[in-house]
Amino acid sequence: MRIAIGCDHAGLALKAMLATGLAAAGHAVEDVGTVSEASVDYVDFGAGVARMVRDGACDRGILVCGTGQGMAMTANKHRGVRASLCHDPVSARFARLHNDANVLALGARIIGPELAREVVRVWLATPYEGGRHDRRLAKLKAIEEGQ
């Protein structure tokens, strides 16, 4: 799977750990930054990952900031991106199963590294269920298109 990953300064260590694990698992990882602990704006990196998913350059995206909130908000401004903030395996599973989330947001100040690994593992392994959820995603798409 092609995975775009990005963070702000607060998410740097967690992003680096996750990127290493994803690559070791055989995923193609596109790291859009940041690359230092110098203060940056999460919006810049969240938008970069969201655009890669939106445009089909990557299959999925993972974003990390202090709480994950800002990254999720940023990513969800992009048409076709369904970002979900998850801090446990159950929410990660249902974000994929019911919502076909294509971007995962994590909060480095909220979740520890081992739990983050498990959340990412579950999120990547869970397929979209489809069925009754297709109708709901179609309604989200209509909102994006201004209907």
Side-chain angles (χ1 to χ4, degrees):
M1 191 176 300
R2 297 168 305 163
I3 302 169
I5 192 165
C7 68
D8 70 357
H9 52 281
L12 182 63
L14 185 57
K15 179 202 71 165
M17 182 209 66
L18 293 172
T20 299
L22 290 166
H27 298 288
V29 179
E30 294 291 332
D31 189 339
V32 302
T34 192
V35 295
S36 81
E37 292 182 353
S39 182
V40 295
D41 297 331
Y42 62 83
V43 175
D44 299 329
F45 302 95
V49 167
R51 282 190 298 267
M52 292 185 83
V53 172
R54 177 198 67 199
D55 296 342
C58 288
D59 305 303
R60 304 252 187 103
I62 298 174
L63 294 166
V64 188
C65 67
T67 65
Q69 295 286 0
M71 288 293 202
M73 290 178 188
T74 298
N76 280 321
K77 298 293 183 189
H78 294 77
R79 187 172 288 184
V81 172
R82 291 173 306 282
S84 184
L85 174 60
C86 300
H87 289 132
D88 60 81
V90 174
S91 60
R93 180 173 177 269
F94 282 103
R96 287 287 310 135
L97 198 64
H98 290 183
N99 308 113
D100 198 18
N102 52 13
V103 173
L104 173 65
L106 300 168
R109 294 178 178 147
I110 308 297
I111 190 171
E114 293 308 314
L115 184 54
R117 277 191 190 106
E118 180 63 8
V119 168
V120 169
R121 186 195 67 74
V122 167
W123 185 75
L124 290 173
T126 303
Y128 172 56
E129 189 173 56
R132 70 186 189 276
H133 306 293
D134 289 337
R135 176 179 78 245
R136 296 162 187 158
L137 292 185
K139 289 180 178 185
L140 284 175
K141 185 176 180 181
I143 290 169
E144 286 179 338
E145 295 171 356
Q147 298 177 8

